Amino acid sequence: MNPFRFGYQIRSNDPATLRQEVRAAEAADFDVLCTFDHLGRYLSALEPLAFCAAWSERIRLCPLVLNNDFHHPGVLAQRLATLDRLSGGRVEVGMGAGHAFPEYHAISIPFDPPQRRKQRLAESLDILRRLLDGEQVEHHGEFYDLSGFASIEPAQDHVPILVGVNGRAGLAHAAGMADIIGLTMLGVTLPDGNSHAVRWEPKRLDTTVNWIVEQAGERVHNLELNALVQAVVVTDDRRKAAQEFLSEVPGLELDHALSTPFLAIGTHDEIAAHLLACRERWGISYYVVRDIEGFAPVIEMLRAEDHS
């Protein structure tokens, strides 16, 4: 079973706030700083990580996740390797197939059906892996053509790749090549283009994890499972707080809200116990949250558990 790791996802556009959050996250013993990749009035995904590297000493850096359709793997490999060199070898790469269709429409990029976007992601990931491993790549595929391209090499011998994807084919490919799989357990994209219905039934997650384990084979011992926690709620009444999410999250049931790894609700002791139970049942050891102060005591508890 993997030891716990914890990420903090930055959401602010303000440089001063960003700088404070970077330093607070490192002081709270988070392992990774994460950005996100959406088009519009947001900071982009990669440039802030260079500043995060300069404002910190040890914490790792991960875009969670890059929309593959907005990044050519050859160009992206050079940018990531550059960031890895400048940060002293602290980069992890998060990749996904894209889902926010209004962003595609706004810049006139075709929004292909999910299967085709996932196929394009798989081809891109194979290219990216080879480039980050220092290969000169000759590739003529369905979606990408590279003619003897080689990027500058990263500082790390092996840059970890996280793949956030769902569906059997996408997960099977990720299980065969990724270092980290970001579990999503989401349903259809809702009309706003950003929100999703959720599929957080415990048995469905059992099935998903079992499929990953089966597809990974011997690689499973080196594979890390990740969950992006959608909310951290510190409260003395865990059940009441969970109940309040039912009207906000389409498809969510109370028992699922209490059992899912994508919500952290309760006292600090209860949240720590919940994440321990999730690791025991599903093997999820890497959690990304959006709350430093509320979650920091949980990190301390779970570090102690791993070192006991």
Side-chain angles (χ1 to χ4, degrees):
M1 189 170 292
N2 289 322
F4 281 107
R5 289 205 307 152
F6 304 101
Y8 173 67
Q9 190 175 49
I10 295 161
R11 310 290 288 178
S12 176
N13 288 346
D14 176 64
T17 301
L18 181 61
R19 188 172 191 167
Q20 292 171 357
E21 290 183 344
V22 169
R23 292 176 172 172
E26 188 161 66
D29 202 26
F30 280 87
D31 298 282
V32 189
L33 283 168
C34 303
T35 51
F36 61 94
D37 190 24
H38 284 291
L39 297 180
R41 297 183 183 274
Y42 315 100
L43 295 180
S44 59
L46 292 180
E47 286 79 1
L49 293 176
F51 285 87
C52 291
W55 294 333
S56 60
E57 296 181 0
R58 57 150 192 92
I59 200 164
R60 294 179 67 78
L61 313 162
C62 180
L64 189 73
V65 291
L66 294 170
N67 181 339
N68 178 67
D69 286 340
F70 299 159
H71 303 275
H72 186 283
V75 178
L76 182 59
Q78 184 165 357
R79 297 181 71 196
L80 291 168
T82 298
L83 180 59
D84 196 57
R85 282 185 170 233
L86 293 178
S87 66
R90 290 193 267 161
V91 167
E92 301 180 7
V93 185
M95 296 291 295
H99 67 87
F101 59 83
E103 298 175 12
Y104 286 73
H105 297 162
I107 58 173
S108 299
I109 291 180
F111 185 68
D112 290 332
Q115 181 180 3
R116 190 158 180 83
R117 282 181 280 124
K118 292 174 188 178
Q119 290 169 342
R120 186 160 48 240
L121 171 65
E123 186 175 325
S124 177
L125 286 167
D126 291 338
I127 295 168
L128 189 64
R129 176 75 280 161
R130 293 172 63 192
L131 289 170
L132 291 175
D133 286 347
E135 291 187 35
Q136 180 171 322
V137 174
E138 186 79 25
H139 176 91
H140 305 288
E142 182 176 1
F143 302 104
Y144 300 103
D145 278 288
L146 288 84
S147 300
F149 179 74
S151 168
I152 188 172
E153 293 186 13
Q156 296 177 87
D157 292 334
H158 181 83
V159 177
I161 292 179
L162 178 154
V163 180
V165 71
N166 57 22
R168 290 171 71 86
L171 287 170
H173 180 268
M177 62 76 58
D179 302 282
I180 310 160
I181 293 181
L183 300 168
T184 61
M185 307 307 296
L186 299 176
V188 297
T189 303
L190 298 179
D192 67 3
N194 289 304
S195 304
H196 297 264
V198 301
R199 302 297 304 274
W200 287 350
E201 307 94 318
K203 289 185 178 180
R204 183 180 177 86
L205 187 51
D206 289 340
T207 300
T208 297
V209 171
N210 289 339
W211 173 252
I212 291 169
V213 170
E214 177 185 329
Q215 297 302 305
E218 294 183 0
R219 294 191 78 250
V220 73
H221 301 295
N222 299 316
L223 189 62
E224 192 174 33
L225 297 183
N226 160 271
L228 173 58
V229 178
Q230 298 299 314
V232 175
V233 181
V234 180
T235 174
D236 292 329
D237 193 337
R238 188 168 187 262
R239 192 172 185 85
K240 180 181 178 182
Q243 183 79 43
E244 293 175 359
F245 279 97
L246 304 190
S247 61
E248 300 175 12
V249 183
L252 184 62
E253 298 180 13
L254 180 59
D255 288 348
H256 303 162
L258 291 167
S259 61
T260 183
F262 303 105
L263 294 174
I265 306 171
T267 64
H268 292 127
D269 285 330
E270 287 174 327
I271 292 172
H274 172 61
L275 297 185
L276 277 167
C278 290
R279 185 174 69 169
E280 180 67 28
R281 179 168 181 174
W282 295 303
I284 304 169
S285 57
Y286 174 19
Y287 294 88
V288 177
V289 302
R290 297 162 177 154
D291 183 343
I292 296 174
E293 184 178 356
F295 196 75
V298 178
I299 294 178
E300 186 175 355
M301 293 175 186
L302 294 177
R303 295 276 193 236
E305 182 71 26
D306 273 346
H307 295 142
S308 63

